[in-house]
mmCIF file of all heavy atoms in Angstrom:
data_model
loop_
_atom_site.group_PDB
_atom_site.id
_atom_site.type_symbol
_atom_site.label_atom_id
_atom_site.label_comp_id
_atom_site.label_asym_id
_atom_site.label_seq_id
_atom_site.Cartn_x
_atom_site.Cartn_y
_atom_site.Cartn_z
ATOM 1 N N ALA A 55 39.695 -131.450 73.882
ATOM 2 C CA ALA A 55 38.657 -132.451 73.459
ATOM 3 C C ALA A 55 39.375 -133.825 73.454
ATOM 4 O O ALA A 55 40.596 -133.949 73.121
ATOM 5 C CB ALA A 55 38.157 -132.081 72.134
ATOM 6 N N PRO A 81 39.518 -128.197 66.485
ATOM 7 C CA PRO A 81 40.673 -128.191 67.414
ATOM 8 C C PRO A 81 41.950 -127.830 66.603
ATOM 9 O O PRO A 81 42.857 -127.214 67.186
ATOM 10 C CB PRO A 81 40.706 -129.568 68.016
ATOM 11 C CG PRO A 81 39.863 -130.376 67.099
ATOM 12 C CD PRO A 81 38.810 -129.560 66.524
ATOM 13 N N LEU A 82 42.106 -128.343 65.342
ATOM 14 C CA LEU A 82 43.375 -128.043 64.672
ATOM 15 C C LEU A 82 43.549 -126.675 64.323
ATOM 16 O O LEU A 82 44.537 -126.028 64.533
ATOM 17 C CB LEU A 82 43.383 -128.959 63.377
ATOM 18 C CG LEU A 82 43.541 -130.518 63.600
ATOM 19 C CD1 LEU A 82 43.353 -131.183 62.312
ATOM 20 C CD2 LEU A 82 44.809 -130.830 64.282
ATOM 21 N N GLU A 84 42.034 -124.075 65.777
ATOM 22 C CA GLU A 84 42.124 -123.249 67.002
ATOM 23 C C GLU A 84 43.339 -123.661 67.867
ATOM 24 O O GLU A 84 43.564 -123.021 68.903
ATOM 25 C CB GLU A 84 40.832 -123.455 67.768
ATOM 26 C CG GLU A 84 39.648 -122.844 66.972
ATOM 27 C CD GLU A 84 38.334 -122.910 67.718
ATOM 28 O OE1 GLU A 84 38.311 -123.485 68.859
ATOM 29 O OE2 GLU A 84 37.261 -122.428 67.275
ATOM 30 N N ASN A 85 44.005 -124.640 67.455
ATOM 31 C CA ASN A 85 45.255 -125.158 68.219
ATOM 32 C C ASN A 85 44.927 -125.478 69.662
ATOM 33 O O ASN A 85 45.565 -125.106 70.531
ATOM 34 C CB ASN A 85 46.338 -124.097 68.127
ATOM 35 C CG ASN A 85 47.717 -124.719 68.493
ATOM 36 O OD1 ASN A 85 47.905 -125.995 68.274
ATOM 37 N ND2 ASN A 85 48.572 -123.956 68.871
ATOM 38 N N ARG A 86 43.756 -126.179 69.869
ATOM 39 C CA ARG A 86 43.278 -126.606 71.128
ATOM 40 C C ARG A 86 43.789 -127.993 71.430
ATOM 41 O O ARG A 86 43.877 -128.873 70.572
ATOM 42 C CB ARG A 86 41.775 -126.545 71.295
ATOM 43 C CG ARG A 86 41.160 -125.197 70.911
ATOM 44 C CD ARG A 86 41.609 -124.086 71.834
ATOM 45 N NE ARG A 86 40.909 -124.190 73.117
ATOM 46 C CZ ARG A 86 41.117 -123.335 74.126
ATOM 47 N NH1 ARG A 86 42.057 -122.452 74.050
ATOM 48 N NH2 ARG A 86 40.439 -123.437 75.210
ATOM 49 N N PRO A 87 44.115 -128.367 72.670
ATOM 50 C CA PRO A 87 44.557 -129.684 72.963
ATOM 51 C C PRO A 87 43.476 -130.803 72.546
ATOM 52 O O PRO A 87 42.370 -130.617 72.905
ATOM 53 C CB PRO A 87 44.696 -129.667 74.445
ATOM 54 C CG PRO A 87 44.938 -128.220 74.812
ATOM 55 C CD PRO A 87 44.115 -127.452 73.813
ATOM 56 N N PHE A 88 43.935 -131.684 71.831
ATOM 57 C CA PHE A 88 43.104 -132.740 71.272
ATOM 58 C C PHE A 88 43.755 -134.129 71.390
ATOM 59 O O PHE A 88 44.915 -134.308 71.106
ATOM 60 C CB PHE A 88 42.724 -132.520 69.843
ATOM 61 C CG PHE A 88 42.066 -133.676 69.192
ATOM 62 C CD1 PHE A 88 40.646 -133.806 69.343
ATOM 63 C CD2 PHE A 88 42.699 -134.681 68.408
ATOM 64 C CE1 PHE A 88 39.967 -134.888 68.861
ATOM 65 C CE2 PHE A 88 42.020 -135.806 67.954
ATOM 66 C CZ PHE A 88 40.627 -135.919 68.098
ATOM 67 N N LEU A 89 42.973 -135.114 71.819
ATOM 68 C CA LEU A 89 43.453 -136.549 71.983
ATOM 69 C C LEU A 89 42.470 -137.468 71.267
ATOM 70 O O LEU A 89 41.286 -137.412 71.570
ATOM 71 C CB LEU A 89 43.555 -136.893 73.460
ATOM 72 C CG LEU A 89 43.886 -138.415 73.666
ATOM 73 C CD1 LEU A 89 45.245 -138.834 73.007
ATOM 74 C CD2 LEU A 89 43.962 -138.757 75.175
ATOM 75 N N LEU A 98 41.409 -138.770 63.025
ATOM 76 C CA LEU A 98 42.385 -137.645 62.890
ATOM 77 C C LEU A 98 43.391 -137.970 61.736
ATOM 78 O O LEU A 98 43.687 -137.068 60.893
ATOM 79 C CB LEU A 98 43.239 -137.516 64.184
ATOM 80 C CG LEU A 98 44.376 -136.439 64.135
ATOM 81 C CD1 LEU A 98 43.754 -135.106 63.916
ATOM 82 C CD2 LEU A 98 45.046 -136.455 65.517
ATOM 83 N N ARG A 166 52.126 -137.257 67.538
ATOM 84 C CA ARG A 166 51.717 -135.891 67.743
ATOM 85 C C ARG A 166 51.731 -135.209 66.521
ATOM 86 O O ARG A 166 52.643 -135.404 65.636
ATOM 87 C CB ARG A 166 52.664 -135.232 68.782
ATOM 88 C CG ARG A 166 52.201 -133.703 69.165
ATOM 89 C CD ARG A 166 53.211 -133.038 69.968
ATOM 90 N NE ARG A 166 54.375 -132.627 69.215
ATOM 91 C CZ ARG A 166 55.631 -133.036 69.366
ATOM 92 N NH1 ARG A 166 55.916 -133.914 70.327
ATOM 93 N NH2 ARG A 166 56.628 -132.656 68.672
ATOM 94 N N TYR A 167 50.711 -134.307 66.242
ATOM 95 C CA TYR A 167 50.657 -133.541 65.010
ATOM 96 C C TYR A 167 50.566 -132.073 65.465
ATOM 97 O O TYR A 167 49.725 -131.683 66.296
ATOM 98 C CB TYR A 167 49.378 -133.825 64.182
ATOM 99 C CG TYR A 167 49.307 -133.058 62.969
ATOM 100 C CD1 TYR A 167 50.067 -133.232 61.847
ATOM 101 C CD2 TYR A 167 48.467 -131.873 62.958
ATOM 102 C CE1 TYR A 167 49.884 -132.496 60.710
ATOM 103 C CE2 TYR A 167 48.302 -131.104 61.858
ATOM 104 C CZ TYR A 167 49.064 -131.401 60.698
ATOM 105 O OH TYR A 167 49.024 -130.627 59.521
ATOM 106 N N GLY A 168 51.547 -131.221 65.120
ATOM 107 C CA GLY A 168 51.584 -129.826 65.558
ATOM 108 C C GLY A 168 51.970 -129.859 67.027
ATOM 109 O O GLY A 168 52.548 -130.729 67.608
ATOM 110 N N ASP A 169 51.445 -128.866 67.694
ATOM 111 C CA ASP A 169 51.697 -128.612 69.170
ATOM 112 C C ASP A 169 50.703 -129.474 69.972
ATOM 113 O O ASP A 169 51.021 -129.884 71.092
ATOM 114 C CB ASP A 169 51.669 -127.180 69.487
ATOM 115 C CG ASP A 169 52.788 -126.364 68.810
ATOM 116 O OD1 ASP A 169 53.872 -126.910 68.598
ATOM 117 O OD2 ASP A 169 52.471 -125.166 68.571
ATOM 118 N N ASN A 170 49.500 -129.567 69.512
ATOM 119 C CA ASN A 170 48.402 -129.929 70.480
ATOM 120 C C ASN A 170 47.531 -131.100 70.069
ATOM 121 O O ASN A 170 46.525 -131.358 70.712
ATOM 122 C CB ASN A 170 47.532 -128.721 70.781
ATOM 123 C CG ASN A 170 48.140 -127.767 71.802
ATOM 124 O OD1 ASN A 170 48.645 -128.233 72.780
ATOM 125 N ND2 ASN A 170 48.070 -126.459 71.477
ATOM 126 N N ALA A 171 47.760 -131.728 68.912
ATOM 127 C CA ALA A 171 46.983 -132.852 68.451
ATOM 128 C C ALA A 171 47.695 -134.122 68.696
ATOM 129 O O ALA A 171 48.925 -134.292 68.244
ATOM 130 C CB ALA A 171 46.573 -132.735 66.998
ATOM 131 N N TRP A 172 47.095 -135.136 69.268
ATOM 132 C CA TRP A 172 47.696 -136.394 69.653
ATOM 133 C C TRP A 172 46.784 -137.565 69.311
ATOM 134 O O TRP A 172 45.574 -137.464 69.400
ATOM 135 C CB TRP A 172 47.936 -136.503 71.231
ATOM 136 C CG TRP A 172 48.702 -135.240 71.721
ATOM 137 C CD1 TRP A 172 48.180 -133.984 72.035
ATOM 138 C CD2 TRP A 172 50.029 -135.252 72.165
ATOM 139 N NE1 TRP A 172 49.172 -133.233 72.465
ATOM 140 C CE2 TRP A 172 50.277 -133.857 72.652
ATOM 141 C CE3 TRP A 172 51.057 -136.170 72.288
ATOM 142 C CZ2 TRP A 172 51.533 -133.462 73.206
ATOM 143 C CZ3 TRP A 172 52.328 -135.740 72.770
ATOM 144 C CH2 TRP A 172 52.461 -134.451 73.245
ATOM 145 N N GLY A 173 47.386 -138.662 68.903
ATOM 146 C CA GLY A 173 46.586 -139.784 68.595
ATOM 147 C C GLY A 173 47.340 -141.107 69.119
ATOM 148 O O GLY A 173 48.503 -141.233 69.031
ATOM 149 N N THR A 228 50.406 -133.829 80.224
ATOM 150 C CA THR A 228 51.224 -133.356 79.210
ATOM 151 C C THR A 228 50.372 -132.676 78.153
ATOM 152 O O THR A 228 50.646 -131.611 77.595
ATOM 153 C CB THR A 228 52.002 -134.480 78.492
ATOM 154 O OG1 THR A 228 52.932 -134.984 79.415
ATOM 155 C CG2 THR A 228 52.808 -133.941 77.367
ATOM 156 N N ILE A 229 49.215 -133.334 77.811
ATOM 157 C CA ILE A 229 48.295 -132.771 76.748
ATOM 158 C C ILE A 229 47.407 -131.563 77.320
ATOM 159 O O ILE A 229 47.353 -130.500 76.679
ATOM 160 C CB ILE A 229 47.331 -133.832 76.285
ATOM 161 C CG1 ILE A 229 48.199 -134.954 75.616
ATOM 162 C CG2 ILE A 229 46.309 -133.233 75.302
ATOM 163 C CD1 ILE A 229 47.322 -136.178 75.169
ATOM 164 N N PHE A 230 46.825 -131.757 78.449
ATOM 165 C CA PHE A 230 45.789 -130.775 78.907
ATOM 166 C C PHE A 230 46.276 -129.979 80.108
ATOM 167 O O PHE A 230 45.486 -129.094 80.452
ATOM 168 C CB PHE A 230 44.441 -131.545 79.276
ATOM 169 C CG PHE A 230 43.877 -132.330 78.229
ATOM 170 C CD1 PHE A 230 43.973 -133.739 78.065
ATOM 171 C CD2 PHE A 230 43.196 -131.702 77.176
ATOM 172 C CE1 PHE A 230 43.430 -134.431 77.041
ATOM 173 C CE2 PHE A 230 42.630 -132.402 76.137
ATOM 174 C CZ PHE A 230 42.832 -133.760 76.029
#
Side-chain angles (χ1 to χ4, degrees):
L82 293 173
E84 297 180 356
N85 200 25
R86 306 295 284 177
F88 171 82
L89 171 61
L98 178 59
R166 185 185 73 244
Y167 179 81
D169 296 327
N170 280 318
W172 309 73
T228 298
I229 297 173
F230 299 106

